[in-house]
Amino acid sequence: MKTQKELLKEALVSEEEQPYKVLENWVWVKLGHIVSVKTGKKDANHATEDGRYPFFTCASEPISSPTFSFEGDSIILPGNGANVGLVLYFSGKFEAYQRTYVLQSQVAYLKYIYYHLLFGWKAHNADKQYGSATNYIKLANITEYSMPLPPLNEQKRIADKVEKLLDKINQAKQLIKEAKETFELRRAAILDKAFRGELTKKWREDKTVKSIYLNSEKNNVSFELPTGWKWIKSVNLFNDFPRNGYSPKSTDSSFNTKTLKLGAITKGYYKDNEFKYIDESIDQDSHLWLKNGDFLIQRANSIEYVGTSAIFTGPDDDCIYPDLIMKGKVNEAIVLPQYLVLWINSMYGKQYFRQNATGTAGNMPKINKTVLQNLLVPIPPLEEQNAILKILNNISDSDSSVMNRIEEIQPNVDLLVNGILKKAFSGELGTTSNEDESAIELLKRIT
C-alpha cells in the first residue's frame, strides 16, 4: 500500500512542469486525483420520444432519454469527433453515450474545475488526439491534465466571481448579436424598398427618365414594379455570360499563379487577401485571368452562401478564379454591376438560389448556368439605378461606421473572457483570504 507521501507525489505536478508559479497556499495538481471520471454506456437508450432526461453524446446539444445513469453536478467532455475540446456543465439527472466523459467531484468545487477547463481544455487537446477516420482523446488526457488548486473556500469564491463576470460578458455578447441582427434586418428592409421603387418614388416625380427597351418577363415575385421598370431574366443582362473557372492542384510556393478562394467574395464584396497559389502556369490570353469590374458568383458553397456574388475590384491579370466561381461581364447599357449584385445578394436572390440549388442534402449545394440565366431581376432605367445606388451608399456609409465599431468591440469581449480566466487561476481576482488553509491540506485528506 502506498504511503500518503507517495500518493501526494503522484497527485502533484512537479515544479519543473508547472506552467507558472501560484500563491503560497495553492498547489498544482493532476485532475485525475480530484475528480472521478466515468464514461457513458454503449447501449444507452436515447431513441424514445418520451425521454425525460437529457442524453449527452459527443455532440454539443443533448437529446432525450427515458433512463439516467448520472445525477448531480457534472462536467461533460466529448471524447471524439469535432466537439473534442468542448466543456459542458450540467446539474441533474442525465444519460450519456460511450466516448462521453463525465467528471464529478466530492473533494473539490466542481464549478471551479469547470471554469479552468473552459480556460485550458481545448488547447490541452490540440496535439493530443488520436485516430485517423475519427479523432478521439484518451482517458490520460483528462487524468494528467494539470491545474492550480487553491483552498476549497477560495475555489468557491473564484467560481462565484467568474460566473458573475462571465454573465455580464454574455449579456454584452447578446447585445452585440442583437445589434448585428437589427442592422441586418434594417438593411434587408431598405433593400426591399429599393427594389420595389419606394426609395426613389420622390425622385421619379421630379424626373422624366427613359425606360429600358427590353420586354418585361412574366414575374413570379410577389410585388409589382413602378412604371418604367421591367422584370428581366439574367440571361439578357450580360455581354459575356458567367462561366466556370479552373481549380488545379494548389501549392505552398508564392512564385506561381494566384487563384481566388471562395472566401474572396463570400461577404458580397471582393477581399484581396483571400487567395492561394496553384502549381501551374496559365496562358496570358486565357479567359481565367480576372479583370477589374468582372462579375463573380459562387456556383457552389453551403446553402447559406451559394449564389453569393461580388464585383472584382483587384488589378487586371493579377489572379485567376476557381471552378466553384463563375465569371462574366455585365451589360452596363442595361444594368449597373453593383445594382445586380445587390439584388442577387438580397433576400430575394438568396431565396431563389436556395430553392433551385441541387445537392442541398450534401456538403456543397450547387447552381448551374441555367439557374442563373432564369433569375428574374427588377430593372429600373439606368438613371434611376444610379439614384438608388447613391441613396444606398449614403445609408451604408452611416451604418458602416456603427457596424465597424461593433466589429471592433467583439474581439475585445472575447479577449476579456480569456483575461478574466487567466487572472482567476493566478489568484488575481481579489478573492484570496489569509484565513484559508493551504490546498495541500485538502489533498492530504483525500489521498
Side-chain angles (χ1 to χ4, degrees):
M1 184 175 178
K2 293 181 180 179
T3 65
Q4 186 182 67
K5 186 175 181 180
E6 289 172 330
L7 292 173
L8 274 175
K9 186 176 180 180
E10 289 180 358
L12 295 172
V13 178
S14 64
E15 190 170 339
E16 56 271 18
E17 293 179 317
Q18 296 175 12
Y20 56 87
K21 295 293 182 183
V22 292
L23 300 181
E24 189 175 347
N25 61 347
W26 293 32
V27 292
W28 276 95
V29 66
K30 295 174 184 175
L31 182 58
H33 291 267
I34 57 172
V35 297
S36 65
V37 183
K38 297 179 182 178
T39 59
K41 301 184 299 186
K42 184 177 181 180
D43 60 348
N45 183 1
H46 61 278
T48 60
E49 295 180 358
D50 61 344
R52 296 177 298 247
Y53 308 103
F55 179 90
F56 289 93
T57 66
C58 288
S60 58
E61 295 295 329
I63 46 183
S64 298
S65 171
T67 62
F68 73 93
S69 296
F70 303 95
E71 62 180 307
D73 295 339
S74 305
I75 296 171
I76 300 160
L77 305 175
N80 67 352
N83 284 313
V84 166
L86 188 71
V87 184
L88 303 171
Y89 190 94
F90 186 79
S91 184
K93 298 176 180 179
F94 65 96
E95 186 60 275
Y97 194 57
Q98 65 176 351
R99 288 274 181 210
T100 301
Y101 293 100
V102 178
L103 279 57
Q104 297 179 324
S105 181
Q106 300 298 321
V107 296
Y109 192 54
L110 199 68
K111 267 288 180 72
Y112 172 84
I113 298 172
Y114 165 70
Y115 285 125
H116 194 276
L117 288 169
L118 281 184
F119 177 65
W121 181 241
K122 188 172 183 178
H124 173 74
N125 289 289
D127 60 352
K128 296 182 179 67
Q129 296 186 41
Y130 309 89
S132 52
T134 303
N135 61 306
Y136 66 92
I137 58 174
K138 296 181 179 179
L139 179 61
N141 289 41
I142 300 171
T143 57
E144 295 300 310
Y145 179 85
S146 61
M147 61 182 295
L149 187 71
L152 185 59
N153 287 334
E154 174 67 353
Q155 294 174 41
K156 295 177 181 178
R157 291 193 295 268
I158 289 174
D160 290 347
K161 187 160 187 178
V162 167
E163 187 165 30
K164 290 176 183 177
L165 291 171
L166 294 188
D167 279 347
K168 291 181 179 180
I169 290 174
N170 287 332
Q171 290 174 23
K173 285 183 174 181
Q174 183 61 32
L175 289 173
I176 291 172
K177 180 184 177 184
E178 290 172 2
K180 285 184 174 182
E181 290 173 350
T182 298
F183 273 95
E184 287 300 317
L185 290 173
R186 168 181 157 83
R187 176 178 169 79
I190 291 171
L191 285 175
D192 187 43
K193 288 180 178 291
F195 297 127
R196 292 172 182 267
E198 294 177 17
L199 279 188
T200 44
K201 182 178 180 180
K202 179 67 169 63
W203 180 91
R204 283 194 305 278
E205 292 173 355
D206 300 334
K207 294 281 184 178
T208 301
V209 294
K210 185 177 180 180
S211 179
I212 56 174
Y213 53 83
L214 293 175
N215 291 327
S216 188
E217 297 281 352
K218 185 177 180 180
N219 132 54
N220 59 359
V221 182
S222 59
F223 59 85
E224 294 296 322
L225 298 179
T227 302
W229 291 41
K230 293 182 178 179
W231 288 104
I232 307 297
K233 280 189 176 179
S234 164
V235 66
N236 297 309
L237 300 179
F238 291 90
N239 288 326
D240 297 318
F241 198 82
R243 57 175 168 167
N244 299 359
Y246 177 55
S247 297
K249 184 179 179 181
S250 61
T251 177
D252 293 331
S253 171
S254 60
F255 297 100
N256 294 67
T257 306
K258 288 165 60 176
T259 184
L260 296 189
K261 295 180 180 178
L262 274 178
I265 61 170
T266 299
K267 293 289 187 179
Y269 56 84
Y270 172 63
K271 295 175 66 177
D272 62 7
N273 61 343
E274 289 285 336
F275 65 87
K276 59 185 177 181
Y277 293 93
I278 59 169
D279 193 15
E280 190 172 323
S281 296
I282 303 296
D283 291 342
Q284 285 304 309
D285 60 352
S286 171
H287 78 277
L288 294 169
W289 290 105
L290 288 163
K291 308 288 187 184
N292 188 282
D294 279 344
F295 171 89
L296 302 174
I297 184 167
Q298 296 186 357
R299 71 176 191 86
N301 204 331
S302 64
I303 196 65
E304 180 182 2
Y305 294 112
V306 65
T308 300
S309 67
I311 303 303
F312 179 72
T313 54
D316 289 356
D317 304 324
D318 182 57
C319 60
I320 67 169
Y321 67 105
D323 177 59
L324 297 181
I325 291 177
M326 294 190 286
K327 180 199 76 167
K329 283 287 185 186
V330 174
N331 183 348
E332 296 188 39
I334 302 174
V335 62
L336 299 177
Q338 194 54 47
Y339 177 89
L340 178 59
V341 164
L342 285 172
W343 172 256
I344 288 175
N345 293 341
S346 73
M347 59 182 178
Y348 296 109
K350 287 182 178 179
Q351 182 180 27
Y352 171 78
F353 288 125
R354 288 172 183 171
Q355 290 175 344
N356 291 278
T358 59
T360 52
N363 294 325
M364 190 71 80
K366 296 178 176 65
I367 58 171
N368 55 32
K369 182 179 178 180
T370 302
V371 169
L372 180 56
Q373 287 175 333
N374 288 326
L375 170 71
L376 284 169
V377 184
I379 303 293
L382 281 173
E383 192 177 355
E384 190 164 356
Q385 291 178 44
N386 268 311
I388 289 170
L389 291 179
K390 185 175 180 180
I391 294 170
L392 291 175
N393 285 336
N394 288 336
I395 295 171
S396 179
D397 288 344
S398 174
D399 284 355
S400 291
S401 62
V402 178
M403 279 301 294
N404 288 340
R405 183 59 184 145
I406 292 173
E407 293 292 345
E408 289 172 4
I409 292 172
Q410 187 160 6
N412 293 331
V413 171
D414 294 333
L415 286 174
L416 187 58
V417 172
N418 202 51
I420 288 172
L421 293 175
K422 186 175 181 180
K423 283 181 176 292
F425 304 117
S426 300
E428 298 176 10
L429 278 187
T431 55
T432 57
S433 171
N434 293 328
E435 297 180 1
D436 290 335
E437 68 173 359
S438 174
I440 195 70
E441 300 301 323
L442 174 62
L443 279 183
K444 286 179 180 178
R445 288 196 293 272
I446 63 177
T447 53

